[in-house]
Amino acid sequence: MAYEKEKQVAIAAATLAAKLCEQVRADIPQAIEKKDKSPVTVADFGAQAIVCQALATAFPDDPIVGEEDATELRKPEMAATLTKVTNYVQALLPDATSEDITNWIDRGNGKVSPRYWTLDPIDGTKGFLRQDQYAVALALVENGEVKGGVLACPAMSFDGGTTGALYVAVRGEGATMLPLSGGEPQPLKVVTSDNVANFRFVESVEAAHGDQSRQNAIAQAAGITTESVRVDSQAKYGIVASGKAALYLRLPSPKYPDYRENIWDHAAGAIVVEEAGGRVTDMFGKPLNFADGSKMIDNRGVVVSNGPIHDKVIAALADN
Ligand code: AMP
Ligand code: MG
């Protein structure tokens, strides 16, 4: 099996990070505001520390492009926050010191390279704070192509039962889903048009992360007649990959016309959907560019589909 070690390390790392997030979530996390005004929590820092520690041990030469960095956390006025992060990490890695933790977090300052990992320690922090969906998203990229991806979604129900789902994909080997607590992986397959109940579309809960009125119009033009299902984070990719929706639309918000998508918000989700038989492009039908930098500067919006409706969606976007 290709990338077997990468896959096992990524699964273990994302699962452990998800455990930390769930502990923080049970304690009711508070938001800290970042310079760009977006929220971060002790769990974002703790999850990044855990994943970077695991990757540093298994693949010491691989750069990691992560969302967070420890610059603010090292400041004296953040000492109480760093102590909290340290306590959560130590519950899982007892020997970790605060210094280890800030160093691990800063391993996430790597650059996009011929081979690198990209990590969103908590994708959907706003959902996490609302006790809704969020994901630990980790992907391996080689020569601009995502080769493997893991999405841990602790708030996602698995087959309507156990809470916590793990989506896993390796290029050319399909995508699977298993309970986050462990179990038999089940193959993932996107939906076909005869499954009327699941032929719906997903979009962000946060209106400012897209263009909900245009998304609705485009979905209708592609033949989807029901209202959207609104979900935070890359859990949306998991929903499309598992055939629970045919389409995920993320069109540029009219409020932020210059926004560019981050690689860590899409790499893991994209391979999960592609390996489940679906398609992922930007709104013009261009492949997402994971080769050049942490922002996908030459892509606009994201379209994720079951495959057969993709061209119709791109055509509708050109017309509307
Ligand atoms: P979601 O939960 O799907 O709404 O996506 C959460 C992600 O949206 C965060 O990780 C942010 O990186 C990203 N984000 C922040 N602002 C915007 C924006 N204006 N447009 C699109 N995505 C954004
Ligand atoms: Mg994110």
Side-chain angles (χ1 to χ4, degrees):
M1 294 269 277
Y3 299 104
E4 191 53 30
K5 182 181 173 193
E6 285 84 347
K7 177 173 146 183
Q8 295 311 332
V9 169
I11 289 174
T15 303
L16 196 63
K19 240 182 215 160
L20 181 144
C21 296
E22 282 299 88
Q23 188 54 59
V24 176
R25 194 162 73 116
D27 297 342
I28 310 293
Q30 285 181 336
I32 306 161
E33 198 171 79
K34 288 202 277 190
K35 281 206 184 104
D36 67 0
K37 304 273 185 230
S38 68
V40 66
T41 71
V42 292
D44 299 61
F45 291 122
Q48 178 150 326
I50 283 184
V51 173
C52 289
Q53 189 275 341
L55 292 178
T57 305
F59 305 106
D61 298 330
D62 286 356
I64 307 163
V65 184
E67 177 168 14
E68 307 306 338
D69 114 352
T71 311
E72 294 296 311
L73 205 52
R74 288 179 200 271
K75 292 188 174 163
E77 62 268 30
M78 292 287 276
T81 303
L82 180 56
T83 300
K84 274 191 203 163
V85 175
T86 305
N87 290 339
Y88 281 113
V89 174
Q90 281 177 346
L92 300 164
L93 304 174
D95 297 334
T97 64
S98 290
E99 199 189 338
D100 291 333
I101 289 166
T102 46
N103 289 339
W104 292 333
I105 293 169
D106 278 340
R107 280 197 75 99
N109 284 326
K111 295 260 168 302
V112 168
S113 310
R115 171 178 155 119
Y116 70 92
W117 296 82
T118 187
L119 167 70
D120 196 339
I122 294 192
D123 182 35
T125 306
K126 289 178 178 166
F128 178 72
L129 286 163
R130 274 191 257 104
Q131 303 278 326
D132 283 338
Q133 291 298 327
Y134 69 99
V136 178
L138 176 62
L140 172 68
V141 183
E142 281 182 0
N143 304 314
E145 185 177 49
V146 187
K147 296 295 190 185
V150 171
L151 282 181
C153 300
M156 179 69 76
S157 91
F158 184 86
D159 272 355
T162 3
T163 305
L166 188 71
Y167 302 87
V168 181
V170 172
R171 183 68 64 194
E173 294 182 5
T176 56
M177 178 182 185
L178 59 153
L180 197 47
S181 52
E184 224 14 70
Q186 296 179 10
L188 292 177
K189 189 83 198 76
V190 290
V191 72
T192 51
S193 58
D194 51 338
N195 185 337
V196 179
N198 285 358
F199 215 76
R200 49 191 181 179
F201 84 104
V202 281
E203 62 184 354
S204 291
V205 173
E206 296 294 327
H209 293 177
D211 182 347
Q212 291 181 340
S213 70
R214 190 169 180 208
Q215 284 157 196
N216 188 53
I218 297 299
Q220 283 199 19
I224 293 173
T225 50
T226 50
E227 269 191 39
S228 71
V229 181
R230 290 182 179 156
V231 179
D232 296 286
S233 83
Q234 283 168 76
K236 291 187 278 298
Y237 281 98
I239 290 171
V240 173
S242 52
K244 303 264 165 41
L247 183 64
Y248 159 24
L249 285 175
R250 187 180 195 88
L251 303 177
S253 161
K255 270 170 78 183
Y256 305 101
D258 297 326
Y259 184 81
R260 293 296 185 276
E261 299 286 340
N262 300 306
I263 53 174
W264 53 74
D265 284 331
H266 298 284
I271 188 170
V272 169
V273 165
E274 287 173 350
E275 286 297 321
R279 273 183 72 187
V280 181
T281 66
D282 75 0
M283 62 185 287
F284 302 114
K286 274 173 68 173
L288 300 185
N289 183 348
F290 296 108
D292 288 335
S294 62
K295 292 255 170 217
M296 302 193 285
I297 48 169
D298 48 3
N299 292 124
R300 305 307 316 278
V302 179
V303 175
V304 179
S305 81
N306 67 333
I309 63 165
H310 207 91
D311 290 336
K312 212 173 176 178
V313 173
I314 300 299
L317 279 162
D319 289 347
N320 295 266

